[in-house]
Amino acid sequence: MSSLSRRDMMRAGVAGAAALATPAIASPLDGPRVLPVHLDRAAFASVVAELRAIVGAEWVFADPESTLPYAKSFTPDPRGEHIPSGAVAPASVEQVQAILKVANRHKLPLWTVSTGKNMGYGCATPASSGQMILDLKRMNRIIAIDADLGTALVEPGVTYQDLHDYLVAHDLPFWIDVPTVGPIVSPLGNTLERGVGYTPYGDHFFMQCGMEVVLADGTLVRTGMGSVKNSTTWQAFKWGYGPYVDGIFTQSNFGVVTKLGFWLMPKPPAFKPFMVRHDAMGDVARIVDAMRPFRMNNLIPNVVLMMGAAYQLAMFHRREEIWDKPGPVPDAVIHDFARRQGLGMWNTYFALYGTEEIIAAVEPIVRHAFESSGGEVLTEQEMGGNKWFNHHKNLMSGQLSLEEKGIMRWRGGGMTCFAPVAPAKGEETSAQTELAKQILGKYDLDYSVAYAIGGRELHHLIFILYDKSVPEEERKADACIREMVTTFGERGWAAYRTGVATMDLVASQYGEANRALNARLKQALDPNHILSPGKQGIA
């Protein structure tokens, strides 16, 4: 057993681990792979045998070929720092507990995923090489839907598609709230990352109610009202009694969440989607200032997407259709191509919900505000089947789509997302847009973005699109996002989530007191540091 510290193990990298992985005799575990730094080939084989005894041989993936899907990522990894050693897929809470027992005994690092489709942030790949993926996809039961209260209780492997199909099959009058690639994404996983959707229930963690968590030592905890004997309010009342602990299991590595409760949106009597088209990149500040009061007073109740034209075009077009010269696509070229598709340089999507009477009363007020900002307010009828409008209409009514996966074809299959947060103020939006364009231009990358406007904040979702098959482009994309994290952070615009390659870098911007508190929680709850080392910068 090596005397390396946990942090040394995390940072030792591929070279040291690969040396341990080089076998003298061929076996099913042989091949170019990365093992946990402190386990040699024989020790790792012993661990694999124990895991197979728990879940069945077919649900442990410990050779290069079967592990390959878990190593696939669209995000840059030019130094090979995010390569898993294998994967294990339990089917029950009891199997999770047994796996954690083995992991504690052997100090085996486990990187937990629900469906592993966190596309802009690393998919299923771990924060450091050598970790074994704890894949919860087989735990895929919809445990309960309360048709009176509109609550749900699901396991990690349930997807939004599963949930949608259940509601349709049982003719229940509720909508789900989905992220952009909902069909393949887990509500549990997205909520734990504090992701958002685009209906009035778009803040997924706010709509969460109750968790079941397996702690690192195997202890089973139910939060909120779930720990009360014979409770019937686990998914009805968030807070329970005493400290509210659900939050510490989001964006963390303090436990394995095996069940999640949340609220479903009652289907409204009426729904009307809109798009506001602005033709100038400089209009971004006016859009945000016009939208903010409507979000604050809830007259526009859903999470609003303000989509840049380049991002919109990338959904259905490849870059060479528009621009085949070096450097970022010029704004004028984007503008002209977008205009031919019925789009502006900024396309802001929102909806009104309620009764026909409520919508009729609010619509003139909203129209006046956005027309005064220089925008053109357009309805479904006026957009005439426009595929971008239809896509966002579907998102804002809880329908499912994979169309936004198209952006990965823009420049060759590479994508990573930088997501700084700012107050919903026009001056800050303009400054962020200018800074992002400056840094992206330095690396010959396009400004492909969306702003998600909440009640008082906005998320600037900056998609770095590059050619994954070209090593130089991968290196540039990696350097670009690191510069963005650092430079935006210096202006006070830290990211609210990030990919596996920059978790430690983002965590450093939240201060040493914050990091020290997380470290104390980690030591108390996971003293052997087996759960997702490095997640959110928590070793």
Side-chain angles (χ1 to χ4, degrees), residues 27-51:
S27 82
L29 297 176
D30 291 347
R33 59 186 300 98
V34 179
L35 302 185
V37 173
H38 65 292
L39 295 177
D40 61 19
R41 183 174 61 85
F44 185 70
S46 176
V47 172
V48 167
E50 290 189 52
L51 296 177

Side-chain angles (χ1 to χ4, degrees), residues 230-529:
N230 299 322
S231 172
T232 58
T233 55
W234 191 15
Q235 273 67 68
F237 181 60
K238 286 174 69 76
W239 312 117
Y241 178 75
Y244 179 72
V245 299
D246 296 53
I248 71 170
F249 298 110
T250 69
Q251 290 197 3
S252 79
N253 51 14
F254 298 152
V256 178
V257 180
T258 50
K259 293 182 180 65
L260 185 88
F262 54 95
W263 299 329
L264 302 167
M265 177 181 167
K267 183 178 179 180
F271 157 76
K272 188 171 184 177
F274 296 86
M275 184 184 92
V276 185
R277 185 167 59 202
H278 284 79
D279 272 339
M281 183 63 68
D283 287 339
V284 64
R286 291 198 289 176
I287 301 168
V288 171
D289 286 336
M291 180 60 71
R292 183 178 61 251
F294 291 109
R295 290 293 291 117
M296 287 178 64
N297 62 32
N298 216 34
L299 281 179
I300 293 177
N302 66 307
V303 175
V304 171
L305 278 178
M306 184 170 66
M307 310 293 293
Y311 182 96
Q312 295 260 268
L313 295 178
M315 288 171 57
F316 299 109
H317 294 276
R318 294 177 182 266
R319 191 174 190 270
E320 57 265 27
E321 296 176 51
I322 300 168
W323 183 253
D324 60 359
K325 299 177 180 61
V329 184
D331 284 351
V333 173
I334 292 287
H335 175 275
D336 291 347
F337 195 90
R339 197 61 177 168
R340 293 197 294 273
Q341 317 306 316
L343 301 173
M345 288 299 279
W346 293 106
N347 308 282
T348 304
Y349 299 92
F350 69 92
L352 298 179
Y353 304 77
T355 65
E356 296 285 358
E357 293 80 7
I358 290 172
I359 292 173
V362 174
E363 182 176 346
I365 304 170
V366 173
R367 279 186 174 275
H368 175 73
F370 283 109
E371 287 168 355
S372 298
S373 75
E376 186 178 3
V377 182
L378 301 161
T379 65
E380 184 174 10
Q381 182 178 1
E382 291 162 323
M383 289 302 290
N386 180 282
K387 56 190 174 185
W388 286 276
F389 186 95
N390 287 342
H391 170 77
H392 289 283
K393 169 195 168 185
N394 288 336
L395 289 180
M396 293 186 295
S397 56
Q399 302 303 307
L400 296 154
S401 168
L402 287 173
E403 290 171 328
E404 288 197 38
K405 284 187 69 177
I407 67 171
M408 288 178 287
R409 297 190 297 267
W410 176 251
R411 204 165 180 166
M415 175 184 73
T416 188
C417 184
F418 174 53
V421 181
K425 295 182 178 181
E427 59 187 0
E428 301 226 17
T429 319
S430 290
Q432 281 210 4
T433 297
E434 181 180 343
L435 182 58
K437 292 190 73 174
Q438 174 188 327
I439 296 172
L440 288 163
K442 175 180 173 180
Y443 294 96
D444 295 327
L445 296 167
D446 303 314
Y447 182 61
S448 301
V449 306
Y451 280 98
I453 306 175
R456 290 171 173 79
E457 89 295 337
L458 51 83
H459 303 152
H460 190 183
L461 307 174
I462 304 168
F463 289 84
I464 297 171
L465 305 177
Y466 67 99
D467 192 335
K468 182 77 169 175
S469 67
V470 179
E472 178 57 26
E473 286 211 13
E474 184 167 28
R475 286 191 289 269
K476 286 168 64 175
D478 181 65
C480 179
I481 192 167
R482 291 176 186 279
E483 181 171 340
M484 280 195 160
V485 169
T486 302
T487 307
F488 272 71
E490 290 170 352
R491 299 278 296 270
W493 296 321
Y496 86 104
R497 65 193 290 195
T498 194
V500 292
T502 49
M503 285 181 169
D504 199 65
L505 186 60
V506 170
S508 69
Q509 297 178 334
Y510 283 81
E512 285 308 309
N514 182 284
R515 298 197 75 174
L517 174 60
N518 287 338
R520 291 169 69 182
L521 290 170
K522 179 67 170 175
Q523 186 62 30
L525 294 173
D526 181 14
N528 289 321
H529 293 242

